[in-house]
Amino acid sequence: MADTLGAFEQAVLLAIVRLRENAYGRAILKEVQARLERDVAAGAVHATLERLEEKGLIASRLGPGTSIRSGRARRFYRLQPKGLRALNDARAVVDNLWRGLKWPLKGYV
């Protein structure tokens, strides 16, 4: 089993999966905020992206500069095979935790 992923790491990785070739910092931030339905600090996303890249779960490349960004390049991210395995493992763990329980939970409190 791959390293255990935290919920926020999963959110960032799944944003990269959803965005495909358009997975750059700001787009990932917006996707994570939309899916978590809360404000998220840009620094938290960027720190997570750096950590995920250090773990070998994602890779990045610099794209061409754009006029909107005054010629500055965007850094694009893509999932690596190790990241795909980590996401699949994380989903399997959650599915196993819920196995045998009806959702939504009722009558336990």
Side-chain angles (χ1 to χ4, degrees), residues 23-51:
Y24 61 93
R26 192 79 171 155
I28 295 167
L29 170 65
K30 289 180 179 181
E31 179 68 21
V32 169
Q33 288 177 330
R35 295 293 173 163
L36 294 180
E37 297 179 342
R38 64 179 170 92
D39 286 334
V40 173
V45 170
H46 287 287
T48 301
L49 288 167
E50 286 180 21
R51 186 172 59 255

Side-chain angles (χ1 to χ4, degrees), residues 5-27:
L5 293 175
F8 194 74
E9 289 176 321
Q10 289 180 56
V12 171
L13 287 172
L14 290 169
I16 292 170
V17 169
R18 285 188 177 95
L19 292 167
R20 297 181 180 265
E21 67 277 353
N22 295 314
Y24 61 93
R26 192 79 171 155

Side-chain angles (χ1 to χ4, degrees), residues 98 101-109:
W98 280 93
L101 297 173
K102 293 186 181 197
W103 190 82
L105 295 176
K106 296 178 184 175
Y108 291 97
V109 289

Side-chain angles (χ1 to χ4, degrees), residues 31-87:
E31 179 68 21
V32 169
Q33 288 177 330
R35 295 293 173 163
L36 294 180
E37 297 179 342
R38 64 179 170 92
D39 286 334
V40 173
V45 170
H46 287 287
T48 301
L49 288 167
E50 286 180 21
R51 186 172 59 255
L52 293 171
E53 192 163 19
E54 287 171 7
K55 290 180 175 182
L57 303 180
I58 61 174
S60 68
R61 67 169 176 80
L62 284 178
T66 64
S67 59
I68 293 172
R69 294 174 43 86
S70 301
R72 293 188 337 257
R74 285 183 176 156
R75 181 165 296 279
F76 291 87
Y77 297 89
R78 70 181 183 283
L79 199 63
Q80 294 294 97
K82 187 176 177 181
L84 181 63
R85 283 191 303 275
L87 277 173

